[in-house]
């Protein structure tokens, strides 16, 4: 028993992976005890494998280049050629995120990485490295990532056969929010929107170039070609009509 514990927690790399894997075990045990263990589709993740807008908080404003077409027509002219998925999106697609529930992928990744780390410590005297033993996790994660592509393929087919279509992505068009900066013309500012009770700030531009002040209520009417910001207009209210 003592020898087993020593292998699981020594060297440091083994200990890290043992703890991470243990956390996943505790998570699944908790889910099953709560009666939610069979519902793999409710994992808290919003991973979109396509180019996504910049949702960083922009406290100020800055200019954008003219896109050479009527803003009102942008939404109808989007094609995949307007932007290629980034490195992160391609990496997630490689291990079938979106086709397999994210929590299942995370758990499998940690478990495979844990096994490789333990086995490697039996053949390599990693313990003699001291704290530097954590460096072994770099090649372990790379190998695990490559293996995940093949290990998740049958899972992806299985979930496809049972009708799993991936986590739902947010549709921001038509959402109403409040400006957190003043914008006018082609300047980019930020606006806050409540999505599933969570506040999210998006980069926005005035749709018609009209001035929209800080604190104004706005509605998203379109998205930029490069999907980095949204076009908004003032929300129509009785006060707006009277003005």
């Amino acid at each position: 028993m003592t020898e087993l514990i020593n292998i699981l927690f020594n060297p440091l790399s083994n200990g890290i992976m043992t703890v991470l894997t243990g956390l996943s075990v505790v998570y699944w045990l908790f889910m099953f005890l709560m009666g939610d263990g069979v519902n793999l589709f409710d994992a808290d993740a919003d991973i979109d494998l396509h180019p996504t807008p910049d949702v960083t908080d922009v406290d100020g404003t800055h200019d954008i280049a003219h896109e050479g077409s009527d803003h009102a027509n942008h939404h109808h002219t989007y094609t995949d050629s307007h932007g290629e998925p980034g490195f992160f999106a391609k990496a997630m697609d490689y291990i079938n995120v979106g086709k397999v529930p994210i929590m299942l992928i995370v758990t499998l990744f940690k478990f495979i990485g844990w096994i490789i780390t333990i086995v490697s410590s039996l053949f390599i005297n990693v313990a003699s490295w001291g704290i530097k033993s954590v460096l072994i996790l770099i090649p372990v994660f790379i190998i695990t990532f490559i293996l995940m592509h093949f290990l998740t393929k049958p899972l992806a087919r299985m979930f496809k056969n049972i009708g799993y279509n991936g986590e739902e992505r947010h549709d921001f068009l038509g959402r109403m929010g409040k400006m957190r900066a003043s914008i006018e013309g082609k300047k980019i500012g930020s606006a806050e929107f409540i999505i599933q009770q969570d506040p999210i700030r998006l980069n926005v531009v005035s749709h018609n170039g009209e001035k929209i002040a800080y604190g104004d209520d706005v509605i998203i009417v379109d998205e930029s070609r490069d999907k980095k910001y949204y076009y908004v207009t003032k929300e129509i209210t009785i006060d707006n009509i009277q003005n």
Side-chain angles (χ1 to χ4, degrees):
M1 185 66 179
T2 304
E3 183 178 351
L4 176 60
I5 294 177
N6 182 63
I7 293 175
L8 292 178
F9 293 95
N10 184 53
L12 180 59
S13 54
N14 288 15
I16 291 174
M17 293 308 300
T18 297
V19 171
L20 290 177
T21 305
L23 289 175
S24 288
V25 172
V26 171
Y27 168 82
W28 287 113
L29 285 175
F30 179 78
M31 294 299 291
F32 277 109
L33 291 175
M34 293 296 292
D36 297 328
V38 295
N39 192 359
L40 296 176
F41 310 131
D42 286 339
D44 294 331
D46 276 315
I47 295 187
D48 180 11
L49 299 183
H50 303 287
T52 56
D54 183 359
V55 294
T56 54
D57 182 5
V58 179
D59 293 327
T61 58
H62 56 281
D63 289 325
I64 61 172
H66 183 61
E67 296 186 339
S69 62
D70 191 341
H71 294 164
N73 293 327
H74 287 175
H75 182 63
H76 303 289
T77 58
Y78 292 152
T79 64
D80 292 338
S81 63
H82 287 147
E84 290 295 328
F87 174 78
F88 179 76
K90 291 180 179 179
M92 295 301 97
D93 187 47
Y94 181 78
I95 58 177
N96 293 301
V97 171
K99 300 175 184 176
V100 179
I102 184 64
M103 285 306 298
L104 187 57
I105 289 181
V106 170
T107 301
L108 185 59
F109 187 96
K110 288 193 285 189
F111 179 74
I112 299 301
W114 175 61
I115 294 297
I116 296 175
T117 304
I118 296 295
V119 172
S120 65
S121 69
L122 297 177
F123 292 94
I124 304 174
N125 188 19
V126 182
S128 63
W129 299 3
I131 195 173
K132 292 182 179 179
S133 64
V134 296
L135 296 177
I136 195 70
L137 296 179
I138 297 175
V140 166
F141 287 159
I142 294 174
I143 294 172
T144 303
F145 180 80
I146 295 172
L147 291 176
M148 285 291 293
H149 173 71
F150 303 99
L151 294 173
T152 56
K153 272 188 173 181
L155 291 175
R157 287 194 294 267
M158 180 189 73
F159 280 102
K160 181 179 180 181
N161 290 335
I162 63 177
Y164 178 70
N165 296 314
E167 286 81 10
E168 180 182 0
R169 63 176 298 193
H170 292 311
D171 182 6
F172 293 111
L173 296 182
R175 299 276 186 176
M176 293 181 289
K178 190 173 292 289
M179 289 300 303
R180 289 293 176 252
S182 296
I183 56 175
E184 186 176 7
K186 295 182 290 185
K187 292 184 179 298
I188 294 179
S190 67
E192 185 175 273
F193 302 86
I194 304 300
I195 310 296
Q196 296 180 355
Q197 300 182 342
D198 295 321
I200 296 179
R201 289 200 179 189
L202 303 175
N203 292 337
V204 297
V205 175
S206 176
H207 179 62
N208 297 316
E210 65 175 335
K211 182 177 181 179
I212 304 179
Y214 180 97
D216 282 352
D217 293 322
V218 293
I219 183 170
I220 296 176
V221 297
D222 208 346
E223 186 178 10
S224 67
R225 287 178 178 271
D226 57 11
K227 300 181 183 292
K228 290 185 177 180
Y229 51 86
Y230 289 89
Y231 293 103
V232 296
T233 61
K234 289 184 181 179
E235 181 184 352
I236 298 176
T237 63
I238 295 178
D239 293 335
N240 289 344
I241 295 175
Q242 290 177 345
N243 292 336

